[in-house]
Amino acid sequence: MSRFPIRSLRGRLLAFLLAAIFLAALLQGAIAYRGALIQTDEIFDHQLRRIALSLGNGNPLFSTGPDGGVLDDPAARDLIIQIWTPDGVRLFRSTPKLVLPDRIVPGFSTVETEGNAYRMYTLQAPLQVIQVAQDVRVRKSTARSLALRTIWPIAAMAPLLMLVVWWVVSHALTPVERTRRQIASRQPDDLSPVSDSGLPDEVRPLVRELNLLLGRVRQAFAAQQQFVTDAAHELRTPLAALKLQLESIKRAQDEASRQQAFERLAAGIERSARLVEQLLSLARQEAPVASFAEIDLADVVRTAISDVLPQAQARGVDIGMEGAPSARLRGQGDALALLVRNLVDNAVKYAPQSGRVDVRLANDRQCVTLDVDDDGPGIPPSERSRVFDRFYRLHAAETPGSGLGLAIVKAVAARHGATVELQDSPLGGLRVRVRFPHRAT
């Protein structure tokens, strides 16, 4: 289960990007707001200092009132100015109702009077002491107003940037959505490649791998269809023969004719059962690969020879085994047994009466080699590439069969990464050589 609750790629991108924009705007706004407050406070301090310096230079910024130096202008009540002589005599006070403390601390300081805080700058000139103070509440109110004017563009741009990101992400994922709709609208038997035009570079490899998978499925589906067609064709003939033999039993006039018809029917049933068994074996070998394990191929060969030995003894065929006493490899035991049994069974069938079949096993660092030789008629070189096809049999072959033995051998060998070669045997017939590479499967 995914740790992230949003499974949609579009949803994840939008969630991450929009959240990042929101947090960045929030952080930037906080930094800008804090910076504006600090800068505004520095500007006000600079103004207080400039006013004090101007008064210290004798500039007539304030007129003296009739009461000997009091200016009671309501508009200037947030700014208080007091001028003292070095002896402590007040020469000027801008607001009569608000009197600053008599403490004389040169430079900036914060004082309280009548419950309000004031930011004050004191300048000690040669002939007078000048105090300029400003209400802290007025400073803060003005600073907040200026700071808000600084951050409102950020607050306005953040939603606009979010809309742009939403449009860009949606537009960028449009080809992916188009591909999804293309796949969703397909029929079950439509295995044609999916178009990767316009897809992002991160998604295009996935679509290409999907097309390769569709290609393999298409080939497997075609092979299965061909298999079903061939199987239906091959089963039609023995079933028709069984039907005719059954009619022969019904028309038999005496016990001898009826017994002969029964024997033919039994032989036909046995051939049909053998054909069905081989068809099922071939279908299993073309199914998905089962688990592999460590197998001793020598034990598999000995078991296969013992299975085929009754047929060999019935025809007087001598089966011999030589070579490596042990040959371990990774594989599927049942499939390898089927491969060896088909090879030995074919060799026994095509060997002449009182013939000979040799099985040789070799094991070296590169591979395990299995050779099955017989002294039968062999296979012409021009036909050797075709005998691996399903249901294909040599025109000159007189031995009954279904034409599936070597097809099964090829399928099992391909599953194990092995190669199958048909060669001339030293015995005068055919040699089938199977090479199993030493590798982890």
Side-chain angles (χ1 to χ4, degrees):
M1 183 176 180
S2 176
R3 296 181 180 180
F4 200 81
I6 302 177
R7 296 182 180 272
S8 168
L9 177 61
R10 176 177 177 272
R12 290 187 181 187
L13 287 175
L14 288 176
F16 279 121
L17 292 176
L18 296 182
I21 292 174
F22 176 78
L23 293 178
L26 189 64
L27 180 61
Q28 186 178 5
I31 294 175
Y33 183 81
R34 179 62 179 170
L37 291 179
I38 294 174
Q39 291 179 359
T40 305
D41 198 52
E42 292 176 352
I43 292 174
F44 283 141
D45 284 348
H46 180 71
Q47 288 179 343
L48 292 179
R49 185 170 179 274
R50 293 297 299 174
I51 293 174
L53 290 174
S54 299
L55 294 175
N57 292 331
N59 296 333
L61 295 178
F62 297 92
S63 60
T64 304
D67 60 348
V70 176
L71 179 63
D72 194 10
D73 185 359
R77 287 176 180 249
D78 64 313
L79 191 66
I80 303 174
I81 301 174
Q82 291 186 149
I83 301 176
W84 305 76
T85 64
D87 299 333
V89 179
R90 183 185 296 112
L91 300 177
F92 178 83
R93 185 175 69 235
S94 63
T95 305
K97 297 181 180 180
L98 294 177
V99 179
L100 296 176
D102 294 341
R103 293 178 303 169
I104 299 177
V105 180
F108 289 100
S109 61
T110 301
V111 299
E112 291 188 5
T113 180
E114 298 183 4
N116 295 327
Y118 289 87
R119 178 73 168 172
M120 183 172 66
Y121 180 76
T122 302
L123 176 64
Q124 188 167 4
L127 300 179
Q128 58 188 0
V129 177
I130 302 171
Q131 293 178 317
V132 183
Q134 188 178 30
D135 195 335
V136 173
R137 292 177 301 176
V138 175
R139 289 168 62 98
K140 290 183 177 181
S141 176
T142 306
R144 290 193 188 100
S145 177
L146 294 176
L148 291 176
R149 293 179 185 179
T150 303
I151 66 173
W152 79 262
I154 300 175
M157 288 298 295
L160 181 60
L161 185 57
M162 289 181 178
L163 289 176
V164 172
V165 169
W166 176 84
W167 181 86
V168 169
V169 170
S170 300
H171 182 72
L173 295 178
T174 298
V176 179
E177 178 63 20
R178 183 180 65 248
T179 302
R180 185 198 67 80
R181 290 196 302 267
Q182 178 185 355
I183 297 176
S185 62
R186 287 190 169 199
Q187 297 299 321
D189 57 346
D190 185 4
L191 299 176
S192 59
V194 179
S195 174
D196 61 354
S197 62
L199 288 176
D201 292 339
E202 293 78 9
V203 181
R204 188 177 290 110
L206 175 63
V207 176
R208 289 176 179 172
E209 293 298 327
L210 176 62
N211 287 334
L212 292 177
L213 176 62
L214 289 176
R216 293 192 293 268
V217 173
R218 185 167 57 251
Q219 293 176 356
F221 188 67
Q224 290 296 325
Q225 285 183 324
Q226 185 64 37
F227 174 79
V228 172
T229 302
D230 293 341
H233 175 74
E234 291 296 322
L235 287 172
R236 187 180 297 113
T237 300
L239 291 177
L242 291 177
K243 184 177 180 181
L244 292 175
Q245 291 161 5
L246 184 60
E247 293 294 332
S248 298
I249 295 176
K250 293 179 180 180
R251 294 194 302 267
Q253 301 296 327
D254 52 26
E255 186 62 27
S257 300
R258 186 177 295 106
Q259 184 62 32
Q260 185 180 12
F262 269 120
E263 292 176 357
R264 291 177 178 175
L265 179 61
I269 292 175
E270 184 178 355
R271 287 193 299 270
S272 299
R274 174 63 176 169
L275 175 60
V276 172
E277 179 184 355
Q278 287 192 310
L279 286 172
L280 294 177
S281 298
L282 182 59
R284 282 195 298 269
Q285 298 312 310
E286 293 180 343
V289 180
S291 59
F292 281 60
E294 194 76 16
I295 301 294
D296 189 352
L297 190 59
D299 293 338
V300 174
V301 171
R302 284 189 283 268
T303 302
I305 291 177
S306 64
D307 292 340
V308 182
L309 193 58
Q311 292 90 328
Q313 292 175 344
R315 302 187 66 246
V317 177
D318 179 32
I319 303 179
M321 178 180 175
E322 61 180 359
S326 177
R328 304 195 68 83
L329 53 84
R330 289 190 60 81
Q332 187 183 359
D334 294 339
L336 291 175
L338 181 63
L339 178 145
V340 178
R341 189 164 55 248
N342 272 277
L343 289 179
V344 178
D345 183 65
N346 280 349
V348 170
K349 284 182 179 179
Y350 287 97
Q353 290 287 341
S354 302
R356 178 182 172 185
V357 173
D358 288 344
V359 180
R360 185 176 185 278
L361 196 61
N363 186 10
D364 53 35
R365 294 182 179 179
Q366 286 76 30
C367 62
V368 174
T369 304
L370 173 66
D371 290 338
V372 179
D373 293 303
D374 64 66
D375 56 354
I379 300 177
S382 60
E383 299 284 343
R384 289 177 183 175
S385 61
R386 299 195 59 191
V387 293
F388 292 104
D389 297 339
R390 301 167 182 170
F391 309 109
Y392 180 81
R393 302 185 73 242
L394 294 177
H395 297 297
E398 298 179 355
T399 303
S402 60
L404 289 175
L406 289 179
I408 294 174
V409 170
K410 182 181 179 181
V412 175
R415 169 173 291 189
H416 290 78
T419 59
V420 183
E421 300 176 9
L422 301 183
Q423 303 174 358
D424 294 328
S425 172
L427 300 180
L430 179 69
R431 164 176 286 181
V432 182
R433 170 168 289 179
V434 185
R435 294 179 183 270
F436 298 90
H438 285 300
R439 63 182 182 88
T441 305

